[in-house]
Amino acid sequence: MSTIAAHPADTDAPILDVLAERWSTRIFDPATPIDEDALASALEAARWAPSANNTQPWRFVVARRGSAAHAQIVDALMGFNQSWAADAAALVVFASAAALDGKPLPWAAYDTGQAAAHFTVQAHASGLHTHQMGGFDRDAIAQAFGFGDDLVAVTVMAVGALGDIDAAPEALRERELAPRARRPIAESLIVND
């Protein structure tokens, strides 16, 4: 089995190794079960993400490969995501509460994003690989898992062990081996006084 060699980001300033080495794979091992200890650590990291007024608006659906919940999430994925994400050992839906005690939480999606980021970094540090997706049917997720009007799916994350790049379809291999690139930070700065 040939796994993908690490290809750290070429950063303009030093960052933590765990951040530079993390990338969003689309090639997961379809047989290796989720490392339950690593998954528990990633969920714990998400739990301790910052949140405005400590509201902790995030909620998670954790679905292991082979479960009905995993199949429901795969069915809700759109386009290209359906072709590779089913191989992930787990799929995690990150959802945010839109309100608390009847009061809107305008920062809920932001805080849920922080929880997902903390999850991703801890997962990578624990030997798991991840890939977040926005291409999914939010209504299908809401229906499948009984979300009321107060809960909104923000992202779906594939989690698991790296797969065999040589066994992957050509389109996946090309994406996996493409150089990692980001625009220069100067193009993201509106003001830098």
Side-chain angles (χ1 to χ4, degrees), residues 31-143:
T32 302
I34 192 71
D35 178 328
E36 294 291 346
D37 290 337
L39 177 61
S41 292
L43 288 166
E44 186 67 8
R47 173 180 171 236
W48 285 99
S51 73
N53 296 319
N54 198 28
T55 54
Q56 304 170 54
W58 49 75
R59 301 293 182 272
F60 314 121
V61 173
V62 179
R64 288 156 185 82
R65 187 179 47 235
S67 70
H70 191 275
Q72 288 173 303
I73 296 170
V74 170
D75 287 345
L77 296 176
M78 296 179 172
F80 187 57
N81 291 336
Q82 265 195 346
S83 70
W84 58 267
D87 285 344
L91 295 171
V92 180
V93 176
F94 289 79
S96 67
L100 179 67
D101 298 327
K103 296 178 184 176
L105 296 177
W107 55 82
Y110 175 84
D111 286 354
T112 301
Q114 289 200 83
H118 278 62
F119 179 103
T120 300
V121 172
Q122 181 63 49
H124 183 78
S126 298
L128 294 174
H129 292 268
T130 62
H131 189 109
Q132 296 181 55
M133 296 166 274
F136 63 95
D137 183 333
R138 280 156 181 75
D139 292 335
I141 292 289
Q143 184 176 1

